[in-house]
Structure formats: structure tokens, C-alpha cells
Amino acid sequence: MAATMGNLDRADLQIIKELQEDARMTLTELASRVGLSKTPCQLRMRRLEEQGYITGYTALVDHGKLGLNHIAFVQVTLNDTSSKALTAFNKAVRKIGEVEQCHMIAGGYDYLLKIRTRDMVSYRTVLGEKLSTLPHVVQTSTFVVMESVKDLGL
């Protein structure tokens, strides 16, 4: 069954699942795991990439070895949520390297950011010099991670 208009079959979904677990496996191994021969598996992978289901491949890293153990989640409230203000905030936050994730949230605040730094001192610098100067930011609340129980690294 071919994937059309957003419909994926079991093999397509299994390909995606297997690649999320190990994108470096050989095509032969992937085909074996999903129960296909190499050529149909490769054609499905290519189609999933072309249709935007698979948007890229990346390496998961040991942040501790890189000296980036400090994680903070930051709730951000804006003083203006017009389209123009949101666009300005979105554009500016993308430029901050320490922002690992940024999500617009429905609820008591406007955005939730995941920030990764070396330590509390470097986080404080990011907060004071970068986050607090983002367009339309009126308030932030920080929640420091004590332990990562489950982190898929994405």
C-alpha cells in the first residue's frame, strides 16, 4: 500500500521507527527489520524523505562530555501576541544557540523553551543578556532540571 495524502502503511511506519532508533544501520539491516527486500525498502525511504515524513538525520551526543549538563525550562510570557509580535519573537529566539527547543503554548504563558548551558552561571548570563531582551518578553519563569529520566535527545 503506497503512502498517499498522509496515509502510511505498517512498513512505512516501521521504517520510520527503526530509523529513529538507529539511522546509521545499513539498508540491508533496515530491510530485514521491516520485512522487505533492499530495493523496496530503499524506495520507501526515498519516498518518505521526498514527502517530508523524514526530514533529516542527526547524531545524538553526550552533552555531559561536551560540558553542557545544565538544562532549564523557561516559561515566557509576552506583552503582545499579535501575529507581528509572535513573528518577531520567533525570529529572534531562533538565533539563540542555547535554546534547544521553543514551543508556543496554549495556557497561562506563551512559550516554553528548553535551554542547555554549562552551568547555572552561564544560564544566568543567557537569561539576562539574551532571553530577557527578546522582543515583547514581559516575564520569564525558570525550572531547572535536576535529573533527566527520559530524553530521546531530540
Side-chain angles (χ1 to χ4, degrees):
M1 173 196 244
T4 57
M5 297 182 54
N7 295 321
L8 301 180
D9 67 10
R10 181 208 57 81
D12 292 329
L13 295 172
Q14 189 66 29
I15 288 170
I16 291 169
K17 178 183 177 289
E18 294 294 339
L19 289 173
Q20 284 180 304
E21 291 178 16
D22 181 5
R24 291 188 60 175
M25 76 176 75
T26 65
L27 180 59
T28 302
E29 176 67 18
L30 177 62
S32 173
R33 288 186 185 190
V34 300
L36 296 171
S37 61
K38 282 175 52 174
T39 300
C41 185
Q42 184 175 36
L43 290 172
R44 282 174 178 262
M45 274 182 59
R46 192 170 297 137
R47 188 191 73 241
L48 290 167
E49 291 168 355
E50 290 169 357
Q51 293 178 349
Y53 291 100
I54 298 173
T55 59
Y57 300 88
T58 188
L60 301 178
V61 299
D62 183 331
H63 291 101
K65 289 185 178 186
L66 295 173
L68 297 170
N69 279 331
H70 188 268
I71 301 170
F73 287 92
V74 182
Q75 295 175 342
V76 177
T77 303
L78 305 182
N79 62 8
D80 181 0
T81 56
S82 66
S83 291
K84 185 176 178 180
L86 296 175
T87 299
F89 178 86
N90 294 347
K91 183 178 178 184
V93 78
R94 286 184 184 109
K95 294 178 183 177
I96 300 175
E98 294 86 356
V99 176
E100 199 169 90
Q101 296 178 9
C102 175
H103 306 277
M104 185 184 290
I105 300 295
Y109 52 96
D110 300 306
Y111 286 90
L112 180 65
L113 282 57
K114 180 181 179 184
I115 311 295
R116 188 179 292 275
T117 57
R118 288 186 316 278
D119 52 29
M120 183 60 82
V121 172
S122 58
Y123 169 72
R124 177 64 186 100
T125 300
V126 170
L127 178 64
E129 296 179 7
K130 297 180 181 182
L131 299 180
S132 65
T133 65
L134 288 169
H136 306 286
V137 170
V138 68
Q139 180 180 345
T140 62
S141 296
T142 298
F143 301 87
V144 176
V145 173
M146 293 172 38
E147 178 184 2
S148 292
V149 177
K150 180 178 180 182
D151 184 351
L152 297 178
L154 303 174

